[in-house]
Amino acid sequence: MSENYKFDTLSLHAGHIPDKETGSRAVPIYQTTSYVFNSTEEAASLYNMEVGGHLYTRISNPTVAALEQRLAALEGGASALACSSGMAAMHLVISAICSSGDHIVASSKMYGANINLLQHTMPRFGVKTDFVNPNDPEAIKRAIKPNTKLVFGEVIGNPGLDIMDVPEIAKICNSKNIPLVLDATFNTPYLMQPFKHGANIIVHSLTKWLGGHGIAIGGAIVNGGNFDWGDKDKFPTISGAHFALGGISFWEEFGPSALIAKIRAEGMYNFGPSLSPTNAFHLMQGIETLPLRMKKHIENTHSIIEFLVNHEMVEWVKHPDLETHPDHEVAKRILPKGSGSIVAFGIKGGREAGKAFIESVQLASHLANVGDAKTLLIHPGSTTHSHLSSEAMKEGGLTDDMIRLSVGLEDINDITKDFERAFKAVKKLNK
Amino acid sequence: MIINFKGAKTYLGTGGKSLDSTKKTLCFLHGSGQNHFSFVQQARFFAYKGYSVIVPDMPAHGLSDGNPCKSIKENAEWINDLLVELKLKNVVVIGHSQGCLVALELNKIFKNTLEAIIFVAGSNEIPVNQYLLDLSIENPQKASQMMVTWGHGIDGDMSINKWPGHSHYGEGNNIMCMNKPKALNCDLNSCNDYSDGIDAAKNIKVPALAVLAKNDQMTPLKSGLKFVELIENCETHILDCGHFLPSERPVELNSIINSFLLKLK
Ligand SMILES: Cc1ncc(COP(=O)(O)O)c(C=O)c1O
């Protein structure tokens, strides 16, 4: 009773206690689409959002809810909502807050799909975005307009590893009464909890480190509950009368959880990007070991960085925990446990060398994901960006010799041996 | 709905329906440092059952401005004046925690008809320790966090919630943080200073219901059980949870209140 359990304990337990009927210790997978109503009154009370409960799995599900409550506890948020992917989470937040004519300020250095959604898709629906340098709080301040409805960025940017100065940016957003929405996929709540630094909304791709095993796609929104949506002119669909439920004001009815209530009633109801209960179970299984895995991810990352920095075949290494990284000071301040397990490095010999390296590793997997327990890598110059010239890649902040590495949990000596073999192959090619 | 009352912006939760003075009114009174959001799963439930529901944010609480009331009596007078101004005649008052003390005083002075009183996690006295009183001045946010942690049973610790995706702690802290900084200290002092509860409880002549919590660390069950003994014919239920029954056991609490209301004439 009133233990205020710590992070490691919550990772294992939050969201579930064994039910009295079966005693099941694991979170049961409620593989069902719908739930029998005990009475017409009960059904009506769920439809009217009078009390909590489940009516249809597109809107909520007990297994998915256990995951949501675990995430809310780990982030220290008021409420959370899990959905089918990280991109679904991002779209749900934007469509819940913005309408045609609204404006977003976003980081210019983010995951490609995040950029595409804001740069190309949302403008078709009248929502425009100005992109600014994520490590320049003053530039963010200057970009805010009267119709700006949110500021968005990745705490640790993918793939450039730029670090946002969250407390500084949060101060700016707070002074302008604009929510700060952060993609916290690369840090996870283990490395940093954005609400403690003043952020208001978090989106996660659970596919990555939170799930941690490369077996299920999923996303989540965690609502800090610390944003005042009361300005009816600015946030008319959250605090003003909404078409759902006879003109409900989500803000006046649900206060700290207004945003999640709105996303459930509108986003999940009308767009329907729900997470399958089985995937929720798999993702939760991953979260159980998040603290252990993140510790080892960081440990291995620091070892790999040292190995790469000292390797004759490596031109450069980029990681925020290196003093040479431009955001190193910010990283030390807001990510004291480490700034994640993605490392970028340049291989001597350019595009061809990168290709040869990738083709010569045996243990590390060449694929388009990050945050798996296994070591992963990709060479954008010969895959995702192979159609671009070296110059065009540079414009996007990438180089053709760059390899992106997602450091896994293998024995560190096995990873370095694997890389050593690949470097030898590259050396032969360079001769 | 927002009204201007006694010169201050005042928010009244109505459960998503309009106030209707021709119907029976359920008036919910929130606890120390709380506001109308702590009754989120009661307000809509009873409004949709056909009752006229009013959940005021007391001055300086939730979405209301104004200065916080400084005693239980002042709270009761404010509520009396509000209900009279709104011409709400047949009222059932439902208090949670401090709201129960306010209900005891309201019963003495209410100018219209009080049909019944419902005490949720109630007692005739709510002493507050000096540490918390001091902390509520120095660091109201920390004091709120401590109350939220003490206040919940195991469901709080484990983030177990009937309401999918919601965290008792995260939500509870933010509900309390919405109040003006001075509100919590005024509330806690009002509770601590209140000493007329025994006589007020003996004075109750209308039907009464008490719903107490087994693991209540704010108004302990022992104190609650002594309190209900003072009231003539108080229907009493005990639920297996902490102090925050309205969010910890919404379905059970609503069902008990609903059955009680149906028994009233
Ligand atoms: C930072 C970041 N955000 C969001 C996403 C999208 O996640 P998902 O694949 O779960 O939609 C990714 C995927 O790589 C990512 O790296």
Side-chain angles (χ1 to χ4, degrees), chain A residues 84-90 110-114 152 154 156-159 183-186 203-209 216-219 368-370 404:
Chain A
S84 56
S85 69
M87 288 318 300
M90 163 90 171
M110 299 194 294
Y111 174 55
N114 278 345
F152 181 80
E154 294 168 1
I156 304 173
N158 177 13
D183 181 327
T185 300
F186 275 39
V203 294
H204 277 298
S205 166
L206 304 176
T207 317
K208 311 297 184 317
W209 290 265
I217 302 277
N369 191 22
V370 290
R404 185 188 69 186

mmCIF file of all heavy atoms in Angstrom, chain A residues 84-90 110-114 152 154 156-159 183-186 203-209 216-219 368-370 404, ligand 1:
data_model
loop_
_atom_site.group_PDB
_atom_site.id
_atom_site.type_symbol
_atom_site.label_atom_id
_atom_site.label_comp_id
_atom_site.label_asym_id
_atom_site.label_seq_id
_atom_site.Cartn_x
_atom_site.Cartn_y
_atom_site.Cartn_z
ATOM 1 N N SER A 84 -1.460 1.267 -33.224
ATOM 2 C CA SER A 84 -0.865 0.251 -34.088
ATOM 3 C C SER A 84 0.595 0.495 -34.460
ATOM 4 O O SER A 84 1.284 -0.439 -34.838
ATOM 5 C CB SER A 84 -1.710 0.124 -35.353
ATOM 6 O OG SER A 84 -1.817 1.392 -35.972
ATOM 7 N N SER A 85 1.088 1.729 -34.388
ATOM 8 C CA SER A 85 2.490 1.987 -34.731
ATOM 9 C C SER A 85 2.893 3.355 -34.191
ATOM 10 O O SER A 85 2.025 4.160 -33.800
ATOM 11 C CB SER A 85 2.682 1.978 -36.255
ATOM 12 O OG SER A 85 2.049 3.104 -36.835
ATOM 13 N N GLY A 86 4.190 3.616 -34.232
ATOM 14 C CA GLY A 86 4.672 4.934 -33.823
ATOM 15 C C GLY A 86 4.109 6.016 -34.728
ATOM 16 O O GLY A 86 3.752 7.109 -34.271
ATOM 17 N N MET A 87 4.006 5.728 -36.021
ATOM 18 C CA MET A 87 3.473 6.726 -36.952
ATOM 19 C C MET A 87 1.994 6.991 -36.683
ATOM 20 O O MET A 87 1.522 8.122 -36.809
ATOM 21 C CB MET A 87 3.680 6.281 -38.409
ATOM 22 C CG MET A 87 5.125 6.353 -38.874
ATOM 23 S SD MET A 87 6.034 7.826 -38.348
ATOM 24 C CE MET A 87 5.076 9.132 -39.091
ATOM 25 N N ALA A 88 1.254 5.942 -36.305
ATOM 26 C CA ALA A 88 -0.164 6.133 -35.975
ATOM 27 C C ALA A 88 -0.278 7.065 -34.766
ATOM 28 O O ALA A 88 -1.142 7.955 -34.731
ATOM 29 C CB ALA A 88 -0.826 4.791 -35.690
ATOM 30 N N ALA A 89 0.618 6.876 -33.791
ATOM 31 C CA ALA A 89 0.592 7.716 -32.585
ATOM 32 C C ALA A 89 0.795 9.180 -32.963
ATOM 33 O O ALA A 89 0.088 10.078 -32.503
ATOM 34 C CB ALA A 89 1.669 7.260 -31.602
ATOM 35 N N MET A 90 1.777 9.392 -33.823
ATOM 36 C CA MET A 90 2.111 10.755 -34.262
ATOM 37 C C MET A 90 0.907 11.395 -34.970
ATOM 38 O O MET A 90 0.531 12.539 -34.704
ATOM 39 C CB MET A 90 3.315 10.606 -35.202
ATOM 40 C CG MET A 90 3.591 11.763 -36.079
ATOM 41 S SD MET A 90 4.704 12.862 -35.252
ATOM 42 C CE MET A 90 5.070 13.982 -36.581
ATOM 43 N N MET A 110 14.616 14.805 -38.221
ATOM 44 C CA MET A 110 13.815 13.737 -37.633
ATOM 45 C C MET A 110 13.738 12.551 -38.587
ATOM 46 O O MET A 110 14.142 12.612 -39.748
ATOM 47 C CB MET A 110 12.389 14.233 -37.367
ATOM 48 C CG MET A 110 12.285 15.399 -36.412
ATOM 49 S SD MET A 110 10.596 15.631 -35.859
ATOM 50 C CE MET A 110 9.767 16.122 -37.358
ATOM 51 N N TYR A 111 13.150 11.501 -38.056
ATOM 52 C CA TYR A 111 12.862 10.302 -38.826
ATOM 53 C C TYR A 111 12.083 10.679 -40.098
ATOM 54 O O TYR A 111 11.161 11.502 -40.043
ATOM 55 C CB TYR A 111 12.045 9.361 -37.936
ATOM 56 C CG TYR A 111 11.532 8.129 -38.611
ATOM 57 C CD1 TYR A 111 12.406 7.259 -39.264
ATOM 58 C CD2 TYR A 111 10.172 7.818 -38.597
ATOM 59 C CE1 TYR A 111 11.932 6.116 -39.886
ATOM 60 C CE2 TYR A 111 9.693 6.678 -39.206
ATOM 61 C CZ TYR A 111 10.582 5.829 -39.854
ATOM 62 O OH TYR A 111 10.111 4.705 -40.470
ATOM 63 N N GLY A 112 12.455 10.068 -41.217
ATOM 64 C CA GLY A 112 11.896 10.428 -42.512
ATOM 65 C C GLY A 112 10.379 10.472 -42.567
ATOM 66 O O GLY A 112 9.796 11.398 -43.137
ATOM 67 N N ALA A 113 9.717 9.499 -41.963
ATOM 68 C CA ALA A 113 8.251 9.463 -42.035
ATOM 69 C C ALA A 113 7.642 10.608 -41.224
ATOM 70 O O ALA A 113 6.607 11.162 -41.600
ATOM 71 C CB ALA A 113 7.731 8.112 -41.547
ATOM 72 N N ASN A 114 8.286 10.970 -40.114
ATOM 73 C CA ASN A 114 7.807 12.122 -39.335
ATOM 74 C C ASN A 114 7.888 13.390 -40.188
ATOM 75 O O ASN A 114 6.970 14.221 -40.198
ATOM 76 C CB ASN A 114 8.651 12.309 -38.066
ATOM 77 C CG ASN A 114 8.200 11.391 -36.928
ATOM 78 O OD1 ASN A 114 7.117 10.824 -36.965
ATOM 79 N ND2 ASN A 114 9.043 11.244 -35.914
ATOM 80 N N PHE A 152 6.945 20.208 -32.133
ATOM 81 C CA PHE A 152 7.235 18.775 -32.180
ATOM 82 C C PHE A 152 8.702 18.504 -32.490
ATOM 83 O O PHE A 152 9.309 19.201 -33.305
ATOM 84 C CB PHE A 152 6.363 18.105 -33.255
ATOM 85 C CG PHE A 152 6.582 16.620 -33.339
ATOM 86 C CD1 PHE A 152 5.979 15.760 -32.429
ATOM 87 C CD2 PHE A 152 7.411 16.079 -34.310
ATOM 88 C CE1 PHE A 152 6.205 14.391 -32.480
ATOM 89 C CE2 PHE A 152 7.632 14.700 -34.376
ATOM 90 C CZ PHE A 152 7.031 13.860 -33.460
ATOM 91 N N GLU A 154 12.086 15.193 -31.930
ATOM 92 C CA GLU A 154 12.564 13.940 -31.343
ATOM 93 C C GLU A 154 13.624 14.290 -30.299
ATOM 94 O O GLU A 154 14.543 15.060 -30.598
ATOM 95 C CB GLU A 154 13.157 13.047 -32.435
ATOM 96 C CG GLU A 154 12.105 12.570 -33.436
ATOM 97 C CD GLU A 154 12.695 11.921 -34.699
ATOM 98 O OE1 GLU A 154 13.930 11.810 -34.801
ATOM 99 O OE2 GLU A 154 11.901 11.535 -35.570
ATOM 100 N N ILE A 156 16.051 12.554 -29.097
ATOM 101 C CA ILE A 156 17.294 12.196 -29.784
ATOM 102 C C ILE A 156 16.879 11.967 -31.242
ATOM 103 O O ILE A 156 16.069 11.075 -31.519
ATOM 104 C CB ILE A 156 17.911 10.895 -29.221
ATOM 105 C CG1 ILE A 156 18.128 11.024 -27.712
ATOM 106 C CG2 ILE A 156 19.209 10.546 -29.955
ATOM 107 C CD1 ILE A 156 18.580 9.719 -27.033
ATOM 108 N N GLY A 157 17.384 12.766 -32.140
ATOM 109 C CA GLY A 157 16.917 12.702 -33.530
ATOM 110 C C GLY A 157 17.407 11.463 -34.269
ATOM 111 O O GLY A 157 18.524 11.004 -34.050
ATOM 112 N N ASN A 158 16.546 10.962 -35.138
ATOM 113 C CA ASN A 158 16.895 9.816 -35.987
ATOM 114 C C ASN A 158 17.050 10.311 -37.426
ATOM 115 O O ASN A 158 16.107 10.858 -37.964
ATOM 116 C CB ASN A 158 15.774 8.765 -35.905
ATOM 117 C CG ASN A 158 16.042 7.566 -36.815
ATOM 118 O OD1 ASN A 158 17.141 7.389 -37.322
ATOM 119 N ND2 ASN A 158 15.004 6.760 -37.018
ATOM 120 N N PRO A 159 18.172 10.122 -38.093
ATOM 121 C CA PRO A 159 19.339 9.359 -37.665
ATOM 122 C C PRO A 159 20.494 10.253 -37.185
ATOM 123 O O PRO A 159 21.528 9.730 -36.792
ATOM 124 C CB PRO A 159 19.749 8.662 -38.957
ATOM 125 C CG PRO A 159 19.433 9.676 -40.025
ATOM 126 C CD PRO A 159 18.249 10.459 -39.530
ATOM 127 N N ASP A 183 8.789 13.028 -29.540
ATOM 128 C CA ASP A 183 8.987 11.625 -29.879
ATOM 129 C C ASP A 183 10.153 11.151 -29.013
ATOM 130 O O ASP A 183 11.287 11.610 -29.174
ATOM 131 C CB ASP A 183 9.320 11.517 -31.373
ATOM 132 C CG ASP A 183 9.513 10.077 -31.836
ATOM 133 O OD1 ASP A 183 10.004 9.260 -31.041
ATOM 134 O OD2 ASP A 183 9.202 9.783 -33.009
ATOM 135 N N ALA A 184 9.840 10.270 -28.066
ATOM 136 C CA ALA A 184 10.853 9.838 -27.095
ATOM 137 C C ALA A 184 11.288 8.397 -27.357
ATOM 138 O O ALA A 184 11.733 7.697 -26.451
ATOM 139 C CB ALA A 184 10.310 9.998 -25.682
ATOM 140 N N THR A 185 11.151 7.973 -28.617
ATOM 141 C CA THR A 185 11.460 6.593 -28.987
ATOM 142 C C THR A 185 12.899 6.215 -28.649
ATOM 143 O O THR A 185 13.153 5.152 -28.097
ATOM 144 C CB THR A 185 11.235 6.410 -30.503
ATOM 145 O OG1 THR A 185 9.874 6.709 -30.791
ATOM 146 C CG2 THR A 185 11.552 4.992 -30.946
ATOM 147 N N PHE A 186 13.851 7.082 -28.987
ATOM 148 C CA PHE A 186 15.263 6.726 -28.841
ATOM 149 C C PHE A 186 15.743 6.767 -27.390
ATOM 150 O O PHE A 186 16.759 6.163 -27.069
ATOM 151 C CB PHE A 186 16.145 7.656 -29.700
ATOM 152 C CG PHE A 186 16.296 7.219 -31.128
ATOM 153 C CD1 PHE A 186 15.235 6.677 -31.832
ATOM 154 C CD2 PHE A 186 17.519 7.331 -31.788
ATOM 155 C CE1 PHE A 186 15.368 6.263 -33.157
ATOM 156 C CE2 PHE A 186 17.669 6.924 -33.108
ATOM 157 C CZ PHE A 186 16.590 6.386 -33.804
ATOM 158 N N VAL A 203 5.164 10.857 -27.697
ATOM 159 C CA VAL A 203 4.798 9.749 -28.588
ATOM 160 C C VAL A 203 5.966 8.768 -28.632
ATOM 161 O O VAL A 203 7.130 9.160 -28.541
ATOM 162 C CB VAL A 203 4.409 10.192 -30.028
ATOM 163 C CG1 VAL A 203 3.138 11.004 -30.018
ATOM 164 C CG2 VAL A 203 5.510 10.996 -30.690
ATOM 165 N N HIS A 204 5.607 7.497 -28.703
ATOM 166 C CA HIS A 204 6.612 6.434 -28.748
ATOM 167 C C HIS A 204 6.352 5.529 -29.938
ATOM 168 O O HIS A 204 5.200 5.207 -30.224
ATOM 169 C CB HIS A 204 6.496 5.535 -27.502
ATOM 170 C CG HIS A 204 7.191 6.064 -26.297
ATOM 171 N ND1 HIS A 204 8.545 6.263 -26.248
ATOM 172 C CD2 HIS A 204 6.713 6.417 -25.069
ATOM 173 C CE1 HIS A 204 8.873 6.718 -25.050
ATOM 174 N NE2 HIS A 204 7.787 6.837 -24.318
ATOM 175 N N SER A 205 7.434 5.092 -30.567
ATOM 176 C CA SER A 205 7.338 3.890 -31.372
ATOM 177 C C SER A 205 7.736 2.768 -30.427
ATOM 178 O O SER A 205 8.898 2.668 -30.024
ATOM 179 C CB SER A 205 8.289 3.960 -32.564
ATOM 180 O OG SER A 205 8.398 2.661 -33.120
ATOM 181 N N LEU A 206 6.743 1.934 -30.059
ATOM 182 C CA LEU A 206 7.024 0.824 -29.130
ATOM 183 C C LEU A 206 7.786 -0.287 -29.838
ATOM 184 O O LEU A 206 8.341 -1.186 -29.208
ATOM 185 C CB LEU A 206 5.711 0.266 -28.565
ATOM 186 C CG LEU A 206 4.799 1.261 -27.860
ATOM 187 C CD1 LEU A 206 3.500 0.567 -27.442
ATOM 188 C CD2 LEU A 206 5.472 1.857 -26.634
ATOM 189 N N THR A 207 7.756 -0.199 -31.170
ATOM 190 C CA THR A 207 8.447 -1.154 -32.029
ATOM 191 C C THR A 207 9.922 -1.278 -31.667
ATOM 192 O O THR A 207 10.537 -2.322 -31.865
ATOM 193 C CB THR A 207 8.363 -0.627 -33.488
ATOM 194 O OG1 THR A 207 7.043 -0.143 -33.723
ATOM 195 C CG2 THR A 207 8.718 -1.688 -34.489
ATOM 196 N N LYS A 208 10.492 -0.183 -31.168
ATOM 197 C CA LYS A 208 11.934 -0.091 -30.964
ATOM 198 C C LYS A 208 12.311 -0.591 -29.568
ATOM 199 O O LYS A 208 11.971 -1.688 -29.222
ATOM 200 C CB LYS A 208 12.365 1.363 -31.223
ATOM 201 C CG LYS A 208 11.808 1.951 -32.551
ATOM 202 C CD LYS A 208 12.338 1.195 -33.730
ATOM 203 C CE LYS A 208 11.972 1.702 -35.110
ATOM 204 N NZ LYS A 208 10.648 2.137 -35.430
ATOM 205 N N TRP A 209 12.980 0.200 -28.752
ATOM 206 C CA TRP A 209 13.568 -0.301 -27.500
ATOM 207 C C TRP A 209 12.510 -0.729 -26.486
ATOM 208 O O TRP A 209 12.763 -1.633 -25.706
ATOM 209 C CB TRP A 209 14.474 0.754 -26.867
ATOM 210 C CG TRP A 209 15.728 0.975 -27.645
ATOM 211 C CD1 TRP A 209 16.943 0.388 -27.435
ATOM 212 C CD2 TRP A 209 15.896 1.852 -28.770
ATOM 213 N NE1 TRP A 209 17.847 0.839 -28.364
ATOM 214 C CE2 TRP A 209 17.241 1.738 -29.191
ATOM 215 C CE3 TRP A 209 15.049 2.711 -29.470
ATOM 216 C CZ2 TRP A 209 17.765 2.452 -30.268
ATOM 217 C CZ3 TRP A 209 15.565 3.424 -30.545
ATOM 218 C CH2 TRP A 209 16.906 3.287 -30.934
ATOM 219 N N ALA A 216 7.158 -6.940 -32.856
ATOM 220 C CA ALA A 216 5.814 -6.358 -32.960
ATOM 221 C C ALA A 216 5.902 -4.857 -33.216
ATOM 222 O O ALA A 216 6.692 -4.161 -32.573
ATOM 223 C CB ALA A 216 5.033 -6.607 -31.673
ATOM 224 N N ILE A 217 5.080 -4.388 -34.144
ATOM 225 C CA ILE A 217 4.971 -2.952 -34.400
ATOM 226 C C ILE A 217 3.925 -2.382 -33.440
ATOM 227 O O ILE A 217 2.864 -2.984 -33.245
ATOM 228 C CB ILE A 217 4.506 -2.692 -35.857
ATOM 229 C CG1 ILE A 217 5.456 -3.314 -36.873
ATOM 230 C CG2 ILE A 217 4.279 -1.208 -36.121
ATOM 231 C CD1 ILE A 217 6.667 -2.512 -37.227
ATOM 232 N N GLY A 218 4.222 -1.239 -32.849
ATOM 233 C CA GLY A 218 3.245 -0.608 -31.952
ATOM 234 C C GLY A 218 3.659 0.816 -31.638
ATOM 235 O O GLY A 218 4.819 1.195 -31.811
ATOM 236 N N GLY A 219 2.700 1.604 -31.202
ATOM 237 C CA GLY A 219 2.991 2.986 -30.836
ATOM 238 C C GLY A 219 2.178 3.391 -29.625
ATOM 239 O O GLY A 219 1.269 2.660 -29.205
ATOM 240 N N ALA A 368 16.065 -2.594 -41.690
ATOM 241 C CA ALA A 368 15.550 -1.232 -41.513
ATOM 242 C C ALA A 368 14.833 -1.049 -40.184
ATOM 243 O O ALA A 368 13.707 -0.591 -40.134
ATOM 244 C CB ALA A 368 14.588 -0.911 -42.653
ATOM 245 N N ASN A 369 15.473 -1.416 -39.099
ATOM 246 C CA ASN A 369 14.848 -1.185 -37.796
ATOM 247 C C ASN A 369 15.945 -0.753 -36.831
ATOM 248 O O ASN A 369 17.138 -0.857 -37.152
ATOM 249 C CB ASN A 369 14.159 -2.470 -37.305
ATOM 250 C CG ASN A 369 13.261 -2.228 -36.094
ATOM 251 O OD1 ASN A 369 12.812 -1.095 -35.854
ATOM 252 N ND2 ASN A 369 12.998 -3.275 -35.330
ATOM 253 N N VAL A 370 15.512 -0.264 -35.675
ATOM 254 C CA VAL A 370 16.469 0.051 -34.602
ATOM 255 C C VAL A 370 15.872 -0.452 -33.291
ATOM 256 O O VAL A 370 14.685 -0.771 -33.225
ATOM 257 C CB VAL A 370 16.742 1.574 -34.500
ATOM 258 C CG1 VAL A 370 17.529 2.079 -35.693
ATOM 259 C CG2 VAL A 370 15.443 2.360 -34.338
ATOM 260 N N ARG A 404 24.703 3.429 -40.022
ATOM 261 C CA ARG A 404 23.951 3.607 -38.776
ATOM 262 C C ARG A 404 23.878 2.261 -38.064
ATOM 263 O O ARG A 404 23.428 1.271 -38.637
ATOM 264 C CB ARG A 404 22.538 4.120 -39.044
ATOM 265 C CG ARG A 404 21.788 4.434 -37.752
ATOM 266 C CD ARG A 404 20.337 4.748 -37.971
ATOM 267 N NE ARG A 404 19.599 3.562 -38.402
ATOM 268 C CZ ARG A 404 18.321 3.584 -38.783
ATOM 269 N NH1 ARG A 404 17.678 4.715 -38.831
ATOM 270 N NH2 ARG A 404 17.714 2.474 -39.150
HETATM 271 C C1 LIG C 1 12.177 8.242 -34.002
HETATM 272 C C2 LIG C 1 11.121 7.422 -34.637
HETATM 273 N N1 LIG C 1 9.818 7.758 -34.473
HETATM 274 C C3 LIG C 1 8.824 7.043 -35.019
HETATM 275 C C4 LIG C 1 9.075 5.930 -35.786
HETATM 276 C C5 LIG C 1 7.936 5.183 -36.396
HETATM 277 O O1 LIG C 1 7.681 4.022 -35.675
HETATM 278 P P1 LIG C 1 6.776 2.824 -36.225
HETATM 279 O O2 LIG C 1 7.610 2.075 -37.186
HETATM 280 O O3 LIG C 1 6.450 2.052 -34.991
HETATM 281 O O4 LIG C 1 5.589 3.422 -36.872
HETATM 282 C C6 LIG C 1 10.400 5.520 -35.988
HETATM 283 C C7 LIG C 1 10.707 4.334 -36.819
HETATM 284 O O5 LIG C 1 11.824 4.063 -37.203
HETATM 285 C C8 LIG C 1 11.442 6.281 -35.399
HETATM 286 O O6 LIG C 1 12.733 5.941 -35.565
#
